[in-house]
Amino acid sequence: MSSEPPFCQDCGPSSTVAVLWFRGNGPSSTDVKDSCHQDSVPTEDGSALRPGEGGPLPNGGGGGASRKRPLDEGSNGHIRFRLKKRRRAPGPALPKNALMQLNEIKPGLQYTLLSQTGPVHAPLFIMSVEVNGQVFEGSGPTKKKAKLHAAEKALRSFVQFPNASEAHLAMGRTLSTHTDFTSDQADFPDTLFNGFETPDRSDVPFYLGANGDDSFSSSGDLSLSASPVPVCLVQPLLPVPPPFPPPSGKNPVMILNELRPGLKYDFLSESGESHAKSFVMSVVVDGQFFEGSGRNKKLAKARAAQSALATIFNLHLDQTPSRQPIPSEGLQLHLPQVLADAVARLVLDKFGDLTDNFSSPHARRKVLSGVVMTTGTDVKDAKVISVSTGTKCINGEYMSDRGLALNDCHAEIISRRSLLRFLYTQLELYLNNKDDQKRSIFQKSERGGFRLKENVQFHLYISTSPCGDARIFSPHEPILEEPADRHPNRKARGQLRTKIESGEGTIPVRSHASIQTWDGVLQGERLLTMSCSDKMARWNVVGVQGSLLSIFVEPIYFSSIILGSLYHGEHLSRAMYQRISNIDDLPPLYVLNKPLLSISNAEARQPGKAPNFSVNWTVGDAAIEVINATTGKDELGRASRLCKHALYCRWMRVHGKVPSNLLRSRITKPSVYHESKLVAKEYQTAKACLFRAFVKAGLGAWVEKPPEQDQFSLTA
């Protein structure tokens, strides 16, 4: 074999053969010279190769035998060369700003410089543009930004048609029939900003699921002054998709920075447990203050930016229906996401205060719940009424026939019982004297009894979806173009379910009505307790006040239900009220309540065994009460302040103070707990309508506790 490499007539050694020759001849290959041509050689695309750079190989490989310093020398004498990096493929199309968007709709517009003021180092330019006979002005530190500002203003209001349908037809899109196109606050011009960027579907979106994995939907600041209240309070049943695909793969901070460069984000606070931290960041945009919270600073900044995008540009980034808040059908005094974030933060902060900044051993929990009260349109005036934790129910052998044990220690159930204590306190406050009546949340009702004052609302927060029907879905398997009720497992959708005694999770009720007996449970039959989803659906019909309080007050309903994780709008709405939409013949004042459903900061899933205790606190309490969920009493065997016996005592005390003419139901001499509950005729009628609605829908029969539990009196 020759010691010299094969030569080309023009260039010397053939590049392909030379590489093989180098490998076969070891160190002696270093004596071989490079290409005889030292001048640049044009390539196919017209660019020139520098001396020493190799062109493409005949077999399709990239040029690699160029004059580069070897990285290292192998043990067999093989020399490894650094390969030239390939050029990256061109990326997705650049985003379209307002100027480009306007030029597509109205090409050939002329922008005019009106003035330039300010010092040389900080000039202020004012540009104008005429669209459809109307002049729009914009200002900025450069002519480009001033033109952009003018284009934004033009996009907001340059189209005027006789009616909304003609306008949207002209734009090649449709919109909700509820839109007032001639209004100064019409949402049509704003939605043009949703098309600033053509999405690249191959990109992994920044926005993830709403079930504990850094998700977020439009957030907001705590001040409602940032946007006009009358317009924002009008909420459609479901969000209308934007006319253009929202930008995907881009952080809201990046999108906002393109529209308003140079924004500064401020860190406001940090709170929460180690596994559920909550950071709050803020930003000022166009003089408006926006806050965002999340379990890390990056997510908090994104929430603040998204709040600004939603309010100023009407740009809603996450349009997945299952993640959207479902507005209340009743009076809605607050922006959904503003309220959700505020309620969640208040409950978490209060729980931190009650547990020595989560350092107490009783801060351990799987589910946290709380009730927050608002008395107006500003959520800054919101007040935490109750806080609780817990995930278990009583063991059947610890049932009490004197009402001294708590049967259900799930967090949301305990929060509602704590709310009852607050309602009794407010009734007693009203009955004290005229001065205290002004401080009470109650007022006399023209229909007899008492009712809540105007704008007093209660909001329930739960750190995860309630057990039962609201939690029976796959959080990471989105339903593709198929409603949940068409699922093959339809028979399980909406089904009444019962909790497992001394454990977690639920099972469907039996197809036929089952009656629990006292002696059967004591002998070993499992004590059945209805799931939280079912109990909350019951509250949306009969109210949260219960049968005893309904003798004094009109039905009270939650205005919103806020979750911290495992939120799916369709499943939650079905569990809360949709599955019993066929309910009828309800007595006066009782309705099928449809509260706001939303999610706040998503908490991470916490694998592991749940603690066996439950804590509760109601406003006015000095400290939390810790209850053993298995026994339904505290560790010393004492009855809870939330047990049936304790609440019946409060009811008797109020009954002794209320004049007979203010009672909504007549009761002469209350004695036995069960008999007192039956006096609330309208409440019992509404409850019977609810049970019939479940049976009529084929969802099962409600399972009640052994009646012996309620056959007690205070003298016993």
Side-chain angles (χ1 to χ4, degrees), residues 514-517 527-528 530 538 687 691 701-707 709-710:
S514 57
I515 300 175
Q516 300 191 88
T517 61
L527 179 64
L528 301 178
M530 297 305 296
R538 173 172 169 164
K687 186 172 75 170
F691 292 172
W702 195 277
V703 180
E704 300 204 66
K705 292 286 194 303
Q709 274 202 114
D710 294 345

Side-chain angles (χ1 to χ4, degrees), residues 398-432:
Y398 290 99
M399 287 190 308
S400 171
D401 59 358
R402 293 189 293 152
L404 299 175
L406 288 175
N407 292 322
D408 191 342
C409 283
H410 282 231
E412 51 269 56
I413 307 303
I414 296 298
S415 279
R416 178 255 173 185
R417 294 190 73 84
S418 298
L419 173 62
L420 297 183
R421 292 182 62 219
F422 173 73
L423 296 178
Y424 280 119
T425 301
Q426 290 298 307
L427 270 177
E428 290 185 285
L429 187 65
Y430 182 92
L431 296 169
N432 282 344

Side-chain angles (χ1 to χ4, degrees), residues 163-189:
N163 55 60
S165 60
E166 289 187 22
H168 297 292
L169 186 61
M171 297 303 298
R173 58 181 287 268
T174 57
L175 193 71
S176 167
T177 55
H178 302 293
T179 304
D180 179 7
F181 196 79
T182 61
S183 169
D184 291 338
Q185 299 293 340
D187 62 349
F188 165 70

